Amino acid sequence: MAIYDQHNRIMRDLRISVTDRCNFRCRYCMPEEIFGKDYAFLPNESVLSEEEIGRMAAIFVALGTRKLRITGGEPLLRKDLTSIIERLAALNADDLSLTTNGSLLARKAVELKAAGLHRITVSLDSLEDDLFLHMNGGRSRVKPVLEGIDAAAAAGLSVKVNMVVQRGMNEDAVVPMVDYFRERGHILRLVEYMDVGNTNGWNREHVVSKQELLDRIGEHWPLTAVAPNYDGEVATRYRFDDGKGEIGFISSVTEAFCGSCTRARLSAEGKLYTCLFATRGHDLR
């Protein structure tokens, strides 16, 4: 059995938001002027409980969903996250992963792995403290995030790093990021700046296209395109010709992949969305 949407796209992947709160205020996601001290986040009683998350995930897995990803906000802010992961791991999906800003990861990595997490994606947009602080609303320097990445790898978690690239902001940080992570064996994925949540003042002029990024990187390290790992994979893959791993590009603006999307999204209060950009969902609660 499988779940399909009205466009006949299979819902093979489920992203589960365990909180709407975050300790960062990244300009492209939760800008401070909107998500300030007076912003009304969900009250605790409105957020899905561990039991509700487990039940909904079990239903999706029974209906054919094979990949579960824990998201937020920042999921590491959730106090019962380890118990949630243990509950989801017991469903025996093919893949159980988590996306995080990495600032709290160093102290949690071993615990997450022991709970049954398979892999982790860390968001990091620069290796320069001043630029990183500017982009995350002054919430964290780079060092704690890099320490979290190292701790996750040491714990046995597979690690990928996502970098949102915004013109006029951090496009010059791309090459140093590529150099750093390819030397350490982690896949870096470059994400086109997009209108996440309809709150970031998105402008097409701020988008750095996949082709421009390929040209920038290719001046230093020649790349060769490789086939996707599976149908509907979001990132397009390229290998470094010198054999030092690969890099990915998530080009949701210049090379939209909506037609092959396999993702559903469950919000922290239990609403189902079939698109990251959707403003209306279905209340499963």
Side-chain angles (χ1 to χ4, degrees):
M1 184 178 291
I3 309 171
Y4 292 85
D5 70 5
Q6 292 181 345
H7 300 284
N8 203 37
R9 300 177 300 181
I10 189 169
M11 297 288 97
R12 189 182 60 226
D13 307 63
L14 179 65
R15 299 170 63 92
I16 303 169
S17 173
V18 296
T19 179
D20 63 331
R21 299 171 186 264
C22 186
N23 55 337
F24 280 16
R25 289 295 178 269
C26 296
R27 299 295 312 158
Y28 53 79
C29 184
M30 295 177 67
E32 183 80 47
E33 59 267 24
I34 295 176
F35 297 90
K37 62 180 181 180
D38 296 325
Y39 183 80
F41 288 98
L42 292 171
N44 289 337
E45 60 271 18
S46 296
V47 176
L48 291 177
S49 68
E50 173 191 334
E51 291 77 14
E52 288 172 323
I53 291 171
R55 180 168 183 243
M56 289 193 188
I59 292 169
F60 271 86
V61 169
L63 293 173
T65 294
R66 300 312 308 156
K67 299 177 70 175
L68 302 175
R69 176 180 290 274
I70 301 166
T71 68
E74 171 48 51
L76 294 185
L77 294 177
R78 178 99 182 216
K79 293 181 179 179
D80 58 351
L81 179 63
T82 301
S83 296
I84 292 172
I85 292 173
E86 289 175 343
R87 190 180 290 264
L88 298 181
L91 300 177
N92 294 316
D94 295 340
D95 184 55
L96 177 57
S97 62
L98 179 145
T99 297
T100 173
N101 62 37
S103 62
L104 305 174
L105 182 56
R107 71 186 77 166
K108 296 279 191 178
V110 172
E111 183 179 317
L112 297 175
K113 174 64 175 177
L117 192 68
H118 298 155
R119 60 188 182 91
I120 202 157
T121 298
V122 179
S123 300
L124 179 64
D125 300 321
S126 174
L127 295 172
E128 300 176 19
D129 269 337
D130 289 346
L131 178 55
F132 186 52
L133 283 163
H134 176 69
M135 294 189 73
N136 67 40
R139 296 308 202 270
S140 176
R141 297 185 179 274
V142 175
K143 184 179 178 181
V145 180
L146 295 182
E147 289 175 343
I149 291 171
D150 290 342
L157 289 165
S158 173
V159 179
K160 291 182 180 178
V161 179
N162 279 2
M163 176 187 185
V164 174
V165 184
Q166 184 177 355
R167 189 178 303 283
M169 185 68 67
N170 67 334
E171 69 264 44
D172 291 338
V174 167
V175 169
M177 286 277 288
V178 174
D179 187 30
Y180 183 90
F181 287 109
R182 82 185 209 105
E183 291 296 330
R184 286 157 180 79
H186 299 314
I187 296 175
L188 175 67
R189 300 190 299 184
L190 303 176
V191 183
E192 289 182 348
Y193 173 64
M194 52 187 170
D195 190 15
V196 177
N198 305 295
T199 59
N200 64 359
W202 185 83
N203 187 319
R204 177 65 180 257
E205 294 180 358
H206 296 160
V207 176
V208 183
S209 71
K210 168 188 165 183
Q211 188 56 56
E212 182 176 336
L213 293 170
L214 276 170
D215 292 342
R216 279 177 177 258
I217 297 165
E219 293 176 359
H220 301 268
W221 307 282
L223 295 163
T224 299
V226 293
N229 288 307
Y230 52 87
D231 291 339
E233 184 172 19
V234 168
T236 53
R237 302 171 56 219
Y238 287 77
R239 292 196 188 282
F240 294 104
D241 289 353
D242 63 6
K244 283 194 173 180
E246 68 176 74
I247 190 169
F249 297 85
I250 300 177
S251 311
S252 54
V253 178
T254 63
E255 296 182 7
F257 40 78
C258 302
S260 60
C261 181
T262 62
R263 295 182 174 188
R265 181 164 63 96
L266 183 64
S267 72
E269 73 271 38
K271 291 184 178 180
L272 179 68
Y273 298 87
T274 56
C275 180
L276 182 64
F277 301 104
T279 56
R280 185 179 64 184
H282 301 276
D283 192 346
L284 299 189
R285 213 172 201 174

